Amino acid sequence: MSEQPKKPTKKKVELDPRFVDYRHVWVCIESERGVVHPVSWELLGEGRKLADALGVELYGVVICGPGERGKEICGEAFQHGADKAYLLQHEILRDYRNEPYTKALTDLVNSYQPEILMLGATTLGRDLAGSVATTLGTGLVADCTELVIDTETRNLASTRPTFGGSLLCTILTQRHRPQMATVRPRVMAMPEPDASRSGEIIEVPFSMIETDIITKVLEFIPDDTRDKPNLPFADIIVAGGRGLRNQENFQLVWDLAKVLGAEVGASRPIVQAGWAELDRQVGQSGKTVRPKLYIAAGISGAIQHRVGMDGADVIIAINTDPNAPIFDFAHYGIVGNAITVLPALTEAFKARLGQLKKAG
């Protein structure tokens, strides 16, 4: 009689004793010339939930140059959920450079020992997060779509897309602290600011010699994006996918967007085909959006696209396939050919909006 194979047992991973006293949740507040990137407030909203689940305080970390609204930014952090804020101000920190910012943040972590540190997955945040995680020798999960606390182990379960967006995986940093994560803009909801909230500002000295820094700032040139699409902050988006079949039919998306005063979005295959510019791509490899209304025409709803738009308040899907994945999470669905449905919607909205204009 053959012996039944034993089921593998899940090995419990213990936290390294060096990190048992690490506590609190931190959010690095990204600012440039006194202007805060909105993803920082979104992360504070999420950080508030994590801190409450752990029974700890939420801290904002503000790194800037003198005269760049450091204390005002700390006050705004309190309004968005932070309990306290660390403020590091120095002339060397006026413009972002990897070396001094990495030193500032790693020194702060080593001194005050947070258990969770979050940054926005922006150009600056990605560069800084990787350097800080490497310097500290801890784990970093990039482009997270969900963050959940295991209250028994105090581990942060960070979920992100993988295999080109076809699957979602959840990653834990079990032995080391802080647990680090980056989150793209518009993935998390923007919290409502509470003007009655206040907190403690902890000013931390920073010292570094300019001659020790390899990179030098020669000039600051603002990015002119006036003529570029701004999908992440659009209230209405009409997006098209492969179901439109050709570039001429993609014009139907533009027609409806014009009537609604909407931005135009596209799935990855559309951008790869050259029918739309990269700034209009919605999904894991494009933009993450949270509009009030998202109309998806001829888009199947694969995970790669879904993670970029399922935070929309209302999703209307148009697809010929009644079994398309997008109907599993859309609020309203139209089973039909987008090539015929889009012109009908355009005319209907045009007529209705015209009636409202006359009545008003």
Side-chain angles (χ1 to χ4, degrees):
M1 190 171 170
S2 60
E3 207 176 297
Q4 291 291 327
K6 292 181 180 178
K7 290 183 179 180
T9 56
K10 189 175 179 181
K11 186 179 178 181
K12 188 175 181 181
V13 180
E14 297 287 348
L15 178 65
D16 188 309
R18 292 175 298 165
F19 305 113
V20 293
D21 293 328
Y22 279 53
R23 287 292 182 272
H24 307 303
V25 177
W26 288 12
V27 172
C28 188
I29 310 297
E30 180 179 332
S31 65
E32 189 174 47
R33 304 287 167 122
V35 179
V36 177
H37 196 298
V39 72
S40 300
W41 308 142
E42 295 165 7
L43 286 177
L44 282 175
E46 193 66 17
R48 182 71 269 162
K49 299 174 191 174
L50 301 179
D52 290 344
L54 288 166
V56 298
E57 291 183 308
L58 175 63
Y59 286 70
V61 179
V62 178
I63 303 173
C64 63
E68 292 189 328
R69 299 182 58 250
K71 289 189 176 180
E72 290 88 341
I73 292 172
C74 290
E76 292 171 21
F78 300 145
Q79 292 178 15
H80 286 87
D83 298 304
K84 297 178 181 177
Y86 293 111
L87 175 59
L88 291 83
Q89 293 185 107
H90 194 282
E91 189 60 39
I92 283 176
L93 302 172
R94 182 172 297 282
D95 292 293
Y96 174 75
R97 287 179 287 176
N98 181 273
E99 196 174 355
Y101 269 61
T102 297
K103 175 175 168 51
L105 193 50
T106 53
D107 286 354
L108 195 68
V109 167
N110 287 328
S111 297
Y112 295 96
Q113 303 179 339
E115 55 189 314
I116 292 173
L117 171 59
M118 298 187 291
L119 299 91
T122 60
T123 302
L124 186 158
R126 286 177 170 137
D127 184 64
L128 180 59
S131 298
V132 171
T134 302
T135 305
L136 294 172
T138 191
L140 166 65
V141 186
D143 292 345
C144 298
T145 57
E146 185 180 17
L147 299 169
V148 178
I149 293 293
D150 180 338
T151 53
E152 183 180 342
T153 62
R154 302 184 73 86
N155 285 329
L156 177 65
S158 305
T159 300
R160 72 177 307 276
T162 187
F163 291 106
S166 60
L167 293 173
L168 293 172
C169 66
T170 300
I171 302 170
L172 305 174
T173 301
Q174 297 176 292
R175 285 189 56 79
H176 295 84
R177 296 291 185 267
Q179 302 164 92
M180 292 184 62
T182 64
V183 180
R184 295 199 305 174
R186 304 300 282 165
V187 168
M188 304 302 180
M190 176 71 73
E192 286 292 331
D194 182 354
S196 67
R197 284 183 55 86
S198 61
E200 179 187 356
I201 299 175
I202 304 164
E203 296 192 56
V204 181
F206 176 76
S207 178
M208 198 172 187
I209 302 171
E210 178 64 43
T211 53
D212 291 341
I213 304 170
I214 297 173
T215 53
K216 307 298 176 187
V217 178
L218 303 180
E219 185 181 0
F220 178 80
I221 304 173
D223 184 19
D224 188 354
T225 58
R226 285 175 295 179
D227 298 324
K228 291 186 178 180
N230 192 14
L231 260 67
F233 299 96
D235 285 334
I236 305 174
I237 295 174
V238 183
R242 271 187 303 197
L244 293 169
R245 300 181 188 170
N246 60 52
Q247 189 168 2
E248 289 71 28
N249 290 333
F250 193 76
Q251 181 60 41
L252 300 173
V253 172
W254 284 97
D255 294 342
L256 178 55
K258 184 177 180 181
V259 170
L260 295 175
E263 281 281 10
V264 169
S267 63
R268 182 168 61 178
I270 295 299
V271 172
Q272 290 174 336
W275 302 358
E277 59 196 305
L278 183 60
D279 283 338
R280 297 195 180 278
Q281 182 176 324
V282 177
Q284 172 60 20
S285 52
K287 305 293 184 184
T288 301
V289 299
R290 296 183 74 92
K292 295 176 181 177
L293 173 62
Y294 189 90
I295 300 176
I299 296 173
S300 64
I303 291 177
Q304 195 278 339
H305 188 79
R306 177 177 180 171
V307 296
M309 47 70 78
D310 66 355
D313 291 346
V314 176
I315 299 170
I316 299 175
I318 307 166
N319 203 291
T320 55
D321 181 4
N323 297 313
I326 198 163
F327 289 128
D328 293 335
F329 58 92
H331 300 91
Y332 302 97
I334 300 173
V335 179
N337 191 333
I339 298 169
T340 57
V341 173
L342 283 175
L345 284 177
T346 300
E347 290 305 314
F349 277 118
K350 192 183 294 183
R352 180 59 178 159
L353 291 172
Q355 291 173 358
L356 291 174
K357 190 175 181 181
K358 285 180 182 178

